[in-house]
Amino acid sequence: MKHRTTENIEATIQLFAELDEKVSLISRVLAKFPAKTVPQCLRPFLGSPSVTFARPSVKGDSEIMLQLGWVRTMQVTIPVEWLMMHQSELTSAVRKIYWGEKEHSLRHELTRLEKVIADHNRQAAHHRNKASEACREHDRIAAGIHRRSARKCS
Protein backbone atom coordinates (compact mmCIF):
# COMPACT_ATOMS: atom_id res chain seq x y z
CA MET A 1 0.00 0.00 0.00
CA LYS A 2 2.79 2.39 0.96
CA HIS A 3 4.64 1.55 -2.27
CA ARG A 4 1.52 2.27 -4.33
CA THR A 5 1.00 5.63 -2.60
CA THR A 6 4.62 6.53 -3.33
CA GLU A 7 4.12 5.60 -7.00
CA ASN A 8 0.98 7.75 -7.17
CA ILE A 9 2.77 10.70 -5.62
CA GLU A 10 5.73 10.30 -7.97
CA ALA A 11 3.37 10.07 -10.98
CA THR A 12 1.55 13.22 -9.82
CA ILE A 13 4.85 15.06 -9.39
CA GLN A 14 5.94 13.87 -12.85
CA LEU A 15 2.60 15.02 -14.36
CA PHE A 16 2.94 18.47 -12.79
CA ALA A 17 6.52 18.70 -14.07
CA GLU A 18 5.33 17.85 -17.59
CA LEU A 19 2.47 20.34 -17.33
CA ASP A 20 4.88 23.03 -16.12
CA GLU A 21 7.16 22.21 -19.05
CA LYS A 22 4.26 22.57 -21.52
CA VAL A 23 3.10 25.84 -19.91
CA SER A 24 6.67 27.14 -20.00
CA LEU A 25 6.97 26.28 -23.70
CA ILE A 26 3.66 28.02 -24.48
CA SER A 27 4.85 31.06 -22.52
CA ARG A 28 8.14 31.16 -24.46
CA VAL A 29 6.28 30.93 -27.79
CA LEU A 30 3.97 33.79 -26.79
CA ALA A 31 6.88 35.90 -25.52
CA LYS A 32 7.91 36.40 -29.15
CA PHE A 33 4.69 38.32 -29.85
CA PRO A 34 3.59 41.69 -28.45
CA ALA A 35 1.56 41.02 -25.28
CA LYS A 36 -1.27 43.29 -26.44
CA THR A 37 -1.84 41.12 -29.50
CA VAL A 38 -2.03 37.78 -27.67
CA PRO A 39 -5.56 36.32 -27.87
CA GLN A 40 -7.58 36.28 -24.67
CA CYS A 41 -7.58 32.48 -24.54
CA LEU A 42 -3.75 32.44 -24.42
CA ARG A 43 -3.16 35.42 -22.09
CA PRO A 44 -2.98 33.33 -18.91
CA PHE A 45 0.23 31.80 -20.31
CA LEU A 46 2.04 35.16 -20.47
CA GLY A 47 4.81 35.79 -17.95
CA SER A 48 6.01 32.23 -17.30
CA PRO A 49 3.30 31.09 -14.86
CA SER A 50 3.55 27.78 -13.05
CA VAL A 51 0.85 25.15 -12.70
CA THR A 52 -0.68 25.17 -9.23
CA PHE A 53 -3.63 22.87 -9.88
CA ALA A 54 -4.85 20.60 -12.68
CA ARG A 55 -7.97 18.52 -13.23
CA PRO A 56 -10.01 17.14 -16.11
CA SER A 57 -12.58 19.55 -17.53
CA VAL A 58 -16.02 19.32 -15.89
CA LYS A 59 -17.57 19.22 -19.36
CA GLY A 60 -15.87 15.88 -20.00
CA ASP A 61 -14.61 17.11 -23.37
CA SER A 62 -10.99 16.00 -23.61
CA GLU A 63 -9.68 19.17 -22.01
CA ILE A 64 -7.66 19.76 -18.88
CA MET A 65 -8.32 22.71 -16.61
CA LEU A 66 -5.16 24.29 -15.27
CA GLN A 67 -4.80 26.85 -12.54
CA LEU A 68 -1.74 28.99 -13.22
CA GLY A 69 0.25 31.23 -10.92
CA TRP A 70 0.53 31.62 -7.16
CA VAL A 71 -0.19 35.29 -6.52
CA ARG A 72 -2.54 36.07 -9.40
CA THR A 73 -4.17 32.75 -10.18
CA MET A 74 -5.91 32.18 -13.50
CA GLN A 75 -7.76 29.21 -14.84
CA VAL A 76 -7.36 28.01 -18.38
CA THR A 77 -8.31 24.88 -20.27
CA ILE A 78 -6.03 23.15 -22.72
CA PRO A 79 -6.72 20.25 -25.07
CA VAL A 80 -5.50 16.89 -23.78
CA GLU A 81 -3.73 16.41 -27.14
CA TRP A 82 -1.29 19.14 -26.12
CA LEU A 83 0.10 16.83 -23.43
CA MET A 84 1.01 14.23 -26.04
CA MET A 85 2.53 16.68 -28.51
CA HIS A 86 6.20 17.09 -29.25
CA GLN A 87 7.58 20.59 -28.58
CA SER A 88 7.51 21.57 -32.25
CA GLU A 89 3.90 20.40 -32.60
CA LEU A 90 2.82 22.34 -29.51
CA THR A 91 4.68 25.41 -30.73
CA SER A 92 2.90 25.10 -34.07
CA ALA A 93 -0.50 24.65 -32.39
CA VAL A 94 -0.02 27.76 -30.23
CA ARG A 95 1.14 29.82 -33.22
CA LYS A 96 -1.86 28.57 -35.22
CA ILE A 97 -4.21 29.78 -32.47
CA TYR A 98 -2.36 33.11 -32.27
CA TRP A 99 -2.43 33.77 -36.01
CA GLY A 100 -5.99 32.43 -36.35
CA GLU A 101 -7.18 34.84 -33.64
CA LYS A 102 -5.02 37.62 -35.09
CA GLU A 103 -6.57 37.09 -38.53
CA HIS A 104 -10.04 37.01 -36.98
CA SER A 105 -9.43 40.25 -35.06
CA LEU A 106 -7.94 41.89 -38.16
CA ARG A 107 -10.98 40.87 -40.20
CA HIS A 108 -13.23 42.25 -37.47
CA GLU A 109 -11.26 45.52 -37.44
CA LEU A 110 -11.39 45.68 -41.25
CA THR A 111 -15.18 45.25 -41.17
CA ARG A 112 -15.45 47.95 -38.50
CA LEU A 113 -13.30 50.33 -40.55
CA GLU A 114 -15.33 49.63 -43.69
CA LYS A 115 -18.48 50.61 -41.78
CA VAL A 116 -16.81 53.77 -40.46
CA ILE A 117 -15.69 54.71 -43.98
CA ALA A 118 -19.18 54.06 -45.38
CA ASP A 119 -20.71 56.22 -42.63
CA HIS A 120 -18.14 58.93 -43.29
CA ASN A 121 -18.85 58.83 -47.04
CA ARG A 122 -22.61 59.08 -46.37
CA GLN A 123 -22.06 62.06 -44.09
CA ALA A 124 -19.74 63.68 -46.64
CA ALA A 125 -22.35 63.19 -49.39
CA HIS A 126 -25.00 64.69 -47.11
CA HIS A 127 -22.77 67.69 -46.36
CA ARG A 128 -21.99 68.12 -50.08
CA ASN A 129 -25.73 68.18 -50.81
CA LYS A 130 -26.34 70.68 -47.99
CA ALA A 131 -23.43 72.83 -49.20
CA SER A 132 -24.76 72.69 -52.77
CA GLU A 133 -28.23 73.71 -51.57
CA ALA A 134 -26.72 76.53 -49.48
CA CYS A 135 -24.66 77.66 -52.49
CA ARG A 136 -27.78 77.76 -54.71
CA GLU A 137 -29.68 79.64 -52.02
CA HIS A 138 -26.77 82.09 -51.70
CA ASP A 139 -26.69 82.60 -55.48
CA ARG A 140 -30.49 83.10 -55.55
CA ILE A 141 -30.38 85.68 -52.76
CA ALA A 142 -27.33 87.44 -54.26
CA ALA A 143 -29.06 87.58 -57.67
CA GLY A 144 -32.16 89.08 -56.02
CA ILE A 145 -30.07 91.70 -54.26
CA HIS A 146 -28.27 92.58 -57.51
CA ARG A 147 -31.61 92.91 -59.35
CA ARG A 148 -33.02 95.20 -56.65
CA SER A 149 -29.91 97.36 -56.57
CA ALA A 150 -29.90 97.51 -60.39
CA ARG A 151 -33.56 98.68 -60.38
CA LYS A 152 -32.81 101.32 -57.77
CA CYS A 153 -29.93 102.68 -59.84
CA SER A 154 -32.02 102.96 -62.99
Side-chain angles (χ1 to χ4, degrees):
M1 180 77 168
K2 187 175 183 182
H3 180 67
R4 191 173 192 167
T5 303
T6 304
E7 284 178 359
N8 287 343
I9 290 172
E10 288 174 356
T12 302
I13 291 170
Q14 179 64 30
L15 176 64
F16 268 84
E18 289 175 16
L19 287 171
D20 259 338
E21 188 179 307
K22 299 291 182 180
V23 168
S24 176
L25 176 62
I26 294 168
S27 181
R28 287 193 311 271
V29 169
L30 294 176
K32 295 176 181 161
F33 301 110
K36 290 179 183 177
T37 65
V38 172
Q40 200 64 36
C41 64
L42 294 174
R43 289 211 174 157
F45 295 101
L46 292 174
S48 301
S50 59
V51 177
T52 57
F53 181 77
R55 67 171 170 73
S57 174
V58 290
K59 300 176 200 169
D61 59 353
S62 70
E63 288 187 334
I64 294 179
M65 193 283 297
L66 301 176
Q67 187 168 317
L68 304 175
W70 290 101
V71 177
R72 204 180 99 227
T73 60
M74 294 171 279
Q75 290 185 350
V76 63
T77 57
I78 63 167
V80 172
E81 303 88 55
W82 284 15
L83 298 179
M84 286 25 132
M85 288 181 174
H86 187 267
Q87 285 186 347
S88 60
E89 293 172 316
L90 181 56
T91 299
S92 176
V94 171
R95 286 184 179 145
K96 186 176 180 180
I97 291 171
Y98 175 85
W99 289 113
E101 288 290 323
K102 180 92 170 163
E103 182 179 345
H104 176 74
S105 63
L106 288 174
R107 286 184 191 280
H108 180 73
E109 180 67 6
L110 182 61
T111 302
R112 186 189 71 78
L113 289 173
E114 287 170 348
K115 288 179 183 176
V116 168
I117 290 168
D119 288 345
H120 175 77
N121 287 342
R122 273 193 296 280
Q123 288 176 355
H126 174 75
H127 289 298
R128 275 192 303 276
N129 290 340
K130 286 288 191 184
S132 181
E133 289 172 13
C135 212
R136 284 192 299 271
E137 183 65 17
H138 173 269
D139 291 346
R140 188 185 64 76
I141 292 171
I145 291 172
H146 288 308
R147 280 193 303 266
R148 281 190 213 112
S149 64
R151 276 188 241 146
K152 286 182 183 177
C153 291
S154 1

mmCIF file of all heavy atoms in Angstrom, residues 46-76:
data_model
loop_
_atom_site.group_PDB
_atom_site.id
_atom_site.type_symbol
_atom_site.label_atom_id
_atom_site.label_comp_id
_atom_site.label_asym_id
_atom_site.label_seq_id
_atom_site.Cartn_x
_atom_site.Cartn_y
_atom_site.Cartn_z
ATOM 1 N N LEU A 46 1.013 34.110 -20.416
ATOM 2 C CA LEU A 46 2.037 35.158 -20.466
ATOM 3 C C LEU A 46 2.758 35.256 -19.123
ATOM 4 O O LEU A 46 2.159 35.097 -18.067
ATOM 5 C CB LEU A 46 1.402 36.509 -20.817
ATOM 6 C CG LEU A 46 0.843 36.640 -22.229
ATOM 7 C CD1 LEU A 46 0.129 37.976 -22.384
ATOM 8 C CD2 LEU A 46 1.934 36.502 -23.263
ATOM 9 N N GLY A 47 4.037 35.538 -19.169
ATOM 10 C CA GLY A 47 4.806 35.792 -17.955
ATOM 11 C C GLY A 47 5.289 34.560 -17.215
ATOM 12 O O GLY A 47 5.498 34.604 -16.014
ATOM 13 N N SER A 48 5.471 33.470 -17.882
ATOM 14 C CA SER A 48 6.013 32.229 -17.297
ATOM 15 C C SER A 48 5.301 31.789 -16.016
ATOM 16 O O SER A 48 5.926 31.639 -14.967
ATOM 17 C CB SER A 48 7.509 32.405 -17.002
ATOM 18 O OG SER A 48 8.193 32.721 -18.163
ATOM 19 N N PRO A 49 3.997 31.566 -16.068
ATOM 20 C CA PRO A 49 3.300 31.095 -14.863
ATOM 21 C C PRO A 49 3.606 29.625 -14.595
ATOM 22 O O PRO A 49 4.061 28.909 -15.475
ATOM 23 C CB PRO A 49 1.825 31.273 -15.235
ATOM 24 C CG PRO A 49 1.799 31.077 -16.710
ATOM 25 C CD PRO A 49 3.104 31.663 -17.210
ATOM 26 N N SER A 50 3.373 29.197 -13.364
ATOM 27 C CA SER A 50 3.552 27.777 -13.051
ATOM 28 C C SER A 50 2.186 27.169 -12.756
ATOM 29 O O SER A 50 1.243 27.847 -12.372
ATOM 30 C CB SER A 50 4.484 27.615 -11.850
ATOM 31 O OG SER A 50 3.939 28.292 -10.734
ATOM 32 N N VAL A 51 2.099 25.870 -12.937
ATOM 33 C CA VAL A 51 0.848 25.152 -12.705
ATOM 34 C C VAL A 51 0.694 24.925 -11.204
ATOM 35 O O VAL A 51 1.577 24.378 -10.554
ATOM 36 C CB VAL A 51 0.842 23.795 -13.453
ATOM 37 C CG1 VAL A 51 -0.432 23.026 -13.154
ATOM 38 C CG2 VAL A 51 1.001 24.012 -14.946
ATOM 39 N N THR A 52 -0.436 25.382 -10.653
ATOM 40 C CA THR A 52 -0.683 25.171 -9.227
ATOM 41 C C THR A 52 -1.758 24.120 -8.991
ATOM 42 O O THR A 52 -1.867 23.577 -7.895
ATOM 43 C CB THR A 52 -1.115 26.486 -8.542
ATOM 44 O OG1 THR A 52 -2.277 26.997 -9.188
ATOM 45 C CG2 THR A 52 0.004 27.512 -8.602
ATOM 46 N N PHE A 53 -2.551 23.846 -10.014
ATOM 47 C CA PHE A 53 -3.635 22.870 -9.875
ATOM 48 C C PHE A 53 -4.031 22.401 -11.264
ATOM 49 O O PHE A 53 -3.983 23.182 -12.216
ATOM 50 C CB PHE A 53 -4.837 23.535 -9.174
ATOM 51 C CG PHE A 53 -6.002 22.613 -8.953
ATOM 52 C CD1 PHE A 53 -5.994 21.681 -7.943
ATOM 53 C CD2 PHE A 53 -7.117 22.701 -9.769
ATOM 54 C CE1 PHE A 53 -7.074 20.838 -7.743
ATOM 55 C CE2 PHE A 53 -8.199 21.861 -9.572
ATOM 56 C CZ PHE A 53 -8.179 20.929 -8.553
ATOM 57 N N ALA A 54 -4.408 21.138 -11.392
ATOM 58 C CA ALA A 54 -4.853 20.604 -12.677
ATOM 59 C C ALA A 54 -5.926 19.554 -12.429
ATOM 60 O O ALA A 54 -5.855 18.809 -11.452
ATOM 61 C CB ALA A 54 -3.683 19.983 -13.428
ATOM 62 N N ARG A 55 -6.927 19.546 -13.301
ATOM 63 C CA ARG A 55 -7.966 18.519 -13.229
ATOM 64 C C ARG A 55 -8.620 18.397 -14.599
ATOM 65 O O ARG A 55 -8.549 19.314 -15.408
ATOM 66 C CB ARG A 55 -9.003 18.835 -12.168
ATOM 67 C CG ARG A 55 -9.852 20.051 -12.473
ATOM 68 C CD ARG A 55 -11.004 20.171 -11.481
ATOM 69 N NE ARG A 55 -11.669 21.426 -11.605
ATOM 70 C CZ ARG A 55 -12.490 21.787 -12.602
ATOM 71 N NH1 ARG A 55 -12.729 20.951 -13.578
ATOM 72 N NH2 ARG A 55 -13.066 22.964 -12.626
ATOM 73 N N PRO A 56 -9.288 17.273 -14.848
ATOM 74 C CA PRO A 56 -10.015 17.144 -16.115
ATOM 75 C C PRO A 56 -11.139 18.176 -16.168
ATOM 76 O O PRO A 56 -11.661 18.595 -15.134
ATOM 77 C CB PRO A 56 -10.596 15.725 -16.065
ATOM 78 C CG PRO A 56 -9.840 15.025 -15.008
ATOM 79 C CD PRO A 56 -9.358 16.063 -14.049
ATOM 80 N N SER A 57 -11.508 18.582 -17.353
ATOM 81 C CA SER A 57 -12.585 19.547 -17.529
ATOM 82 C C SER A 57 -13.894 18.961 -17.011
ATOM 83 O O SER A 57 -14.154 17.770 -17.168
ATOM 84 C CB SER A 57 -12.724 19.908 -19.014
ATOM 85 O OG SER A 57 -13.842 20.728 -19.215
ATOM 86 N N VAL A 58 -14.737 19.796 -16.404
ATOM 87 C CA VAL A 58 -16.021 19.318 -15.886
ATOM 88 C C VAL A 58 -16.981 18.979 -17.021
ATOM 89 O O VAL A 58 -17.945 18.251 -16.831
ATOM 90 C CB VAL A 58 -16.677 20.363 -14.943
ATOM 91 C CG1 VAL A 58 -15.908 20.461 -13.658
ATOM 92 C CG2 VAL A 58 -16.817 21.712 -15.600
ATOM 93 N N LYS A 59 -16.721 19.514 -18.205
ATOM 94 C CA LYS A 59 -17.568 19.225 -19.360
ATOM 95 C C LYS A 59 -17.330 17.807 -19.878
ATOM 96 O O LYS A 59 -18.139 17.283 -20.624
ATOM 97 C CB LYS A 59 -17.287 20.213 -20.501
ATOM 98 C CG LYS A 59 -17.538 21.645 -20.159
ATOM 99 C CD LYS A 59 -17.132 22.510 -21.340
ATOM 100 C CE LYS A 59 -16.887 23.931 -20.928
ATOM 101 N NZ LYS A 59 -16.257 24.688 -22.001
ATOM 102 N N GLY A 60 -16.210 17.217 -19.525
ATOM 103 C CA GLY A 60 -15.871 15.883 -20.005
ATOM 104 C C GLY A 60 -15.471 15.871 -21.469
ATOM 105 O O GLY A 60 -15.628 14.885 -22.158
ATOM 106 N N ASP A 61 -14.922 16.966 -21.939
ATOM 107 C CA ASP A 61 -14.613 17.111 -23.367
ATOM 108 C C ASP A 61 -13.118 17.153 -23.654
ATOM 109 O O ASP A 61 -12.616 18.108 -24.160
ATOM 110 C CB ASP A 61 -15.295 18.351 -23.930
ATOM 111 C CG ASP A 61 -14.860 19.610 -23.213
ATOM 112 O OD1 ASP A 61 -14.139 19.504 -22.208
ATOM 113 O OD2 ASP A 61 -15.227 20.695 -23.656
ATOM 114 N N SER A 62 -12.420 16.159 -23.307
ATOM 115 C CA SER A 62 -10.992 16.000 -23.610
ATOM 116 C C SER A 62 -10.175 17.281 -23.431
ATOM 117 O O SER A 62 -9.330 17.616 -24.234
ATOM 118 C CB SER A 62 -10.789 15.433 -25.018
ATOM 119 O OG SER A 62 -11.135 16.379 -26.010
ATOM 120 N N GLU A 63 -10.470 17.997 -22.368
ATOM 121 C CA GLU A 63 -9.675 19.170 -22.008
ATOM 122 C C GLU A 63 -9.219 19.019 -20.565
ATOM 123 O O GLU A 63 -9.824 18.293 -19.780
ATOM 124 C CB GLU A 63 -10.493 20.457 -22.154
ATOM 125 C CG GLU A 63 -10.759 20.848 -23.586
ATOM 126 C CD GLU A 63 -11.414 22.220 -23.689
ATOM 127 O OE1 GLU A 63 -12.095 22.640 -22.737
ATOM 128 O OE2 GLU A 63 -11.246 22.851 -24.723
ATOM 129 N N ILE A 64 -8.160 19.733 -20.238
ATOM 130 C CA ILE A 64 -7.656 19.758 -18.875
ATOM 131 C C ILE A 64 -7.733 21.192 -18.391
ATOM 132 O O ILE A 64 -7.340 22.122 -19.096
ATOM 133 C CB ILE A 64 -6.196 19.258 -18.809
ATOM 134 C CG1 ILE A 64 -6.145 17.789 -19.192
ATOM 135 C CG2 ILE A 64 -5.617 19.477 -17.426
ATOM 136 C CD1 ILE A 64 -4.758 17.215 -19.187
ATOM 137 N N MET A 65 -8.257 21.371 -17.190
ATOM 138 C CA MET A 65 -8.322 22.706 -16.605
ATOM 139 C C MET A 65 -7.067 22.896 -15.758
ATOM 140 O O MET A 65 -6.734 22.053 -14.920
ATOM 141 C CB MET A 65 -9.575 22.835 -15.721
ATOM 142 C CG MET A 65 -9.920 24.254 -15.318
ATOM 143 S SD MET A 65 -8.917 24.986 -14.007
ATOM 144 C CE MET A 65 -9.275 23.940 -12.636
ATOM 145 N N LEU A 66 -6.369 23.980 -16.029
ATOM 146 C CA LEU A 66 -5.164 24.292 -15.269
ATOM 147 C C LEU A 66 -5.381 25.573 -14.487
ATOM 148 O O LEU A 66 -6.025 26.503 -14.971
ATOM 149 C CB LEU A 66 -3.972 24.509 -16.208
ATOM 150 C CG LEU A 66 -3.565 23.371 -17.127
ATOM 151 C CD1 LEU A 66 -2.425 23.818 -18.030
ATOM 152 C CD2 LEU A 66 -3.163 22.153 -16.325
ATOM 153 N N GLN A 67 -4.841 25.603 -13.295
ATOM 154 C CA GLN A 67 -4.796 26.851 -12.542
ATOM 155 C C GLN A 67 -3.351 27.288 -12.553
ATOM 156 O O GLN A 67 -2.458 26.520 -12.187
ATOM 157 C CB GLN A 67 -5.298 26.638 -11.116
ATOM 158 C CG GLN A 67 -5.421 27.940 -10.347
ATOM 159 C CD GLN A 67 -6.179 27.730 -9.056
ATOM 160 O OE1 GLN A 67 -7.177 27.037 -9.029
ATOM 161 N NE2 GLN A 67 -5.691 28.319 -7.990
ATOM 162 N N LEU A 68 -3.112 28.499 -13.033
ATOM 163 C CA LEU A 68 -1.743 28.988 -13.219
ATOM 164 C C LEU A 68 -1.449 30.118 -12.250
ATOM 165 O O LEU A 68 -2.297 30.970 -11.995
ATOM 166 C CB LEU A 68 -1.552 29.485 -14.655
ATOM 167 C CG LEU A 68 -1.866 28.484 -15.772
ATOM 168 C CD1 LEU A 68 -1.741 29.170 -17.124
ATOM 169 C CD2 LEU A 68 -0.959 27.283 -15.693
ATOM 170 N N GLY A 69 -0.223 30.143 -11.760
ATOM 171 C CA GLY A 69 0.251 31.232 -10.921
ATOM 172 C C GLY A 69 -0.056 31.023 -9.453
ATOM 173 O O GLY A 69 -0.953 30.276 -9.084
ATOM 174 N N TRP A 70 0.717 31.718 -8.613
ATOM 175 C CA TRP A 70 0.528 31.623 -7.162
ATOM 176 C C TRP A 70 -0.140 32.876 -6.631
ATOM 177 O O TRP A 70 -1.092 32.805 -5.873
ATOM 178 C CB TRP A 70 1.872 31.429 -6.463
ATOM 179 C CG TRP A 70 2.453 30.085 -6.715
ATOM 180 C CD1 TRP A 70 3.438 29.780 -7.601
ATOM 181 C CD2 TRP A 70 2.064 28.847 -6.124
ATOM 182 N NE1 TRP A 70 3.701 28.434 -7.595
ATOM 183 C CE2 TRP A 70 2.866 27.840 -6.686
ATOM 184 C CE3 TRP A 70 1.123 28.489 -5.177
ATOM 185 C CZ2 TRP A 70 2.751 26.504 -6.316
ATOM 186 C CZ3 TRP A 70 1.017 27.160 -4.814
ATOM 187 C CH2 TRP A 70 1.828 26.190 -5.387
ATOM 188 N N VAL A 71 0.344 34.025 -7.036
ATOM 189 C CA VAL A 71 -0.190 35.285 -6.519
ATOM 190 C C VAL A 71 -1.477 35.642 -7.255
ATOM 191 O O VAL A 71 -2.531 35.827 -6.650
ATOM 192 C CB VAL A 71 0.850 36.423 -6.668
ATOM 193 C CG1 VAL A 71 0.278 37.735 -6.197
ATOM 194 C CG2 VAL A 71 2.109 36.063 -5.913
ATOM 195 N N ARG A 72 -1.378 35.739 -8.563
ATOM 196 C CA ARG A 72 -2.536 36.072 -9.399
ATOM 197 C C ARG A 72 -2.934 34.808 -10.153
ATOM 198 O O ARG A 72 -2.439 34.547 -11.237
ATOM 199 C CB ARG A 72 -2.149 37.203 -10.363
ATOM 200 C CG ARG A 72 -3.333 38.000 -10.845
ATOM 201 C CD ARG A 72 -2.895 39.105 -11.789
ATOM 202 N NE ARG A 72 -3.120 38.634 -13.143
ATOM 203 C CZ ARG A 72 -2.257 38.719 -14.132
ATOM 204 N NH1 ARG A 72 -1.093 39.261 -13.940
ATOM 205 N NH2 ARG A 72 -2.548 38.281 -15.324
ATOM 206 N N THR A 73 -3.819 34.031 -9.560
ATOM 207 C CA THR A 73 -4.166 32.753 -10.184
ATOM 208 C C THR A 73 -5.184 32.952 -11.300
ATOM 209 O O THR A 73 -6.065 33.794 -11.217
ATOM 210 C CB THR A 73 -4.733 31.758 -9.156
ATOM 211 O OG1 THR A 73 -5.903 32.312 -8.582
ATOM 212 C CG2 THR A 73 -3.727 31.440 -8.084
ATOM 213 N N MET A 74 -5.001 32.165 -12.353
ATOM 214 C CA MET A 74 -5.914 32.183 -13.497
ATOM 215 C C MET A 74 -6.205 30.743 -13.888
ATOM 216 O O MET A 74 -5.341 29.880 -13.763
ATOM 217 C CB MET A 74 -5.258 32.901 -14.677
ATOM 218 C CG MET A 74 -5.021 34.369 -14.446
ATOM 219 S SD MET A 74 -4.013 35.053 -15.757
ATOM 220 C CE MET A 74 -2.406 34.554 -15.172
ATOM 221 N N GLN A 75 -7.414 30.532 -14.362
ATOM 222 C CA GLN A 75 -7.759 29.206 -14.838
ATOM 223 C C GLN A 75 -7.834 29.225 -16.354
ATOM 224 O O GLN A 75 -8.292 30.192 -16.949
ATOM 225 C CB GLN A 75 -9.104 28.768 -14.265
ATOM 226 C CG GLN A 75 -9.049 28.497 -12.788
ATOM 227 C CD GLN A 75 -10.362 27.956 -12.265
ATOM 228 O OE1 GLN A 75 -11.355 27.947 -12.953
ATOM 229 N NE2 GLN A 75 -10.338 27.496 -11.027
ATOM 230 N N VAL A 76 -7.354 28.141 -16.939
ATOM 231 C CA VAL A 76 -7.357 28.011 -18.384
ATOM 232 C C VAL A 76 -7.525 26.536 -18.727
ATOM 233 O O VAL A 76 -7.101 25.668 -17.962
ATOM 234 C CB VAL A 76 -6.043 28.587 -18.983
ATOM 235 C CG1 VAL A 76 -4.849 27.814 -18.519
ATOM 236 C CG2 VAL A 76 -6.098 28.652 -20.484
#
